Amino acid sequence: MERKLLPGITVFTPTYNRAHTLRRLYDSLLEQTGSFEWLVVDDGSTDGTGALVASFAAEGKIPVRYVYKENGGKHTALNEGIRQAEREYFLCLDSDDCLASGAVEVLADCIAREQPAGVIAYKSMMDTDERIGPEFPEGLRESTLFALINTYNCAGDRTLVYRTDILRRNLIPEPKGVKFFPETYLYDRVDEAHQCVLLPRVICRCEYQEGG
């Protein structure tokens, strides 16, 4: 029997040999207020990631949980994060990303007000603060990710937050020996049954890494 999910947001980070970017992400979490946990699933790193995350947890400033698994690809780490999450909502924050100031509070206010299946928000570039992708269509309050791109011609890299229980019903297949399976499978499955609230605020700031 699954444990009851707690209120708030699981900020989930899948990582593989990215110890050099995790400090920046952690620092951005220290600036947040509201109810959240940071869940790191390490997909077989060999660069001291475990010891680094343990040092963050030992500071006791925010709730930090660390899970190590054998290398299987990001999709397997994402599935494990969804299984391990303890909060009602789930935000995937990659190891080369960070949260904008006040992001958790903004999301929490939206969730309390709308009780959505999910939230689609903006991302920006870390070095320039330039928003990635166009603004949401004026007057559009809800959409699926698919419709946003294909119906409203509003493509772009977005911040995606979903109810954890919905994600658990739509885990990504893990074919044996396959280390890349597109995570869009998960979002397409969610789109089939759920609309998301559009939140025109920058939640995540990105820096794309070579080989990422």
Side-chain angles (χ1 to χ4, degrees):
M1 182 176 179
E2 291 186 352
R3 289 174 294 178
K4 184 177 179 180
L5 294 167
L6 301 172
I9 299 169
T10 292
V11 179
F12 160 70
T13 299
T15 192
Y16 176 68
N17 287 341
R18 287 279 181 82
H20 61 287
T21 66
L22 288 175
R23 167 64 69 175
R24 180 178 59 197
L25 191 163
Y26 173 66
D27 287 344
S28 79
L29 293 172
L30 295 182
E31 298 177 1
Q32 306 301 317
T33 58
S35 179
F36 73 97
E37 64 166 347
W38 187 30
L39 171 61
V40 179
V41 173
D42 184 347
D43 192 36
S45 295
T46 58
D47 64 347
T49 289
L52 178 64
V53 177
S55 73
F56 297 155
E59 292 179 7
K61 295 179 179 178
I62 61 172
V64 179
R65 290 193 294 131
Y66 173 81
V67 176
Y68 179 88
K69 60 181 287 299
E70 292 185 5
N71 181 257
K74 181 181 176 181
H75 66 292
T76 65
L78 180 54
N79 281 346
E80 187 63 22
I82 293 167
R83 295 186 192 101
Q84 294 277 350
E86 294 183 347
R87 303 301 177 104
E88 290 179 340
Y89 284 84
F90 186 92
L91 162 60
C92 182
L93 187 69
D94 286 342
S95 52
D96 51 0
D97 296 344
C98 67
L99 286 181
S101 180
V104 169
E105 186 174 1
V106 169
L107 285 172
D109 287 346
C110 178
I111 289 167
R113 184 173 63 251
E114 304 286 349
Q115 296 295 304
V119 178
I120 302 175
Y122 294 151
K123 286 186 178 183
S124 71
M125 295 301 298
M126 198 172 300
D127 55 347
T128 64
D129 286 330
E130 180 182 359
R131 189 183 61 245
I132 305 170
E135 291 184 358
F136 298 141
E138 186 175 356
L140 186 65
R141 179 176 169 272
E142 291 185 329
S143 177
T144 64
L145 185 61
F146 182 88
L148 195 63
I149 296 168
N150 296 284
T151 301
Y152 300 105
N153 297 314
C154 194
D157 201 357
R158 307 298 187 182
T159 302
L160 305 175
V161 183
Y162 293 106
R163 268 184 23 214
T164 304
D165 63 324
I166 293 174
L167 296 181
R168 285 181 176 170
R169 296 194 292 269
N170 294 282
L171 295 175
I172 303 169
E174 298 185 20
K176 187 175 181 180
V178 174
K179 292 199 174 183
F180 175 77
F181 199 103
E183 60 194 272
T184 50
Y185 170 93
L186 176 61
Y187 309 137
D188 289 344
R189 288 289 303 273
V190 174
D191 276 358
E192 291 174 2
H194 302 282
Q195 297 269 323
C196 291
V197 169
L198 302 182
L199 178 62
R201 293 283 299 272
V202 171
I203 297 298
C204 175
R205 302 173 65 232
C206 306
E207 180 184 68
Y208 299 118
Q209 302 290 312
E210 184 177 349

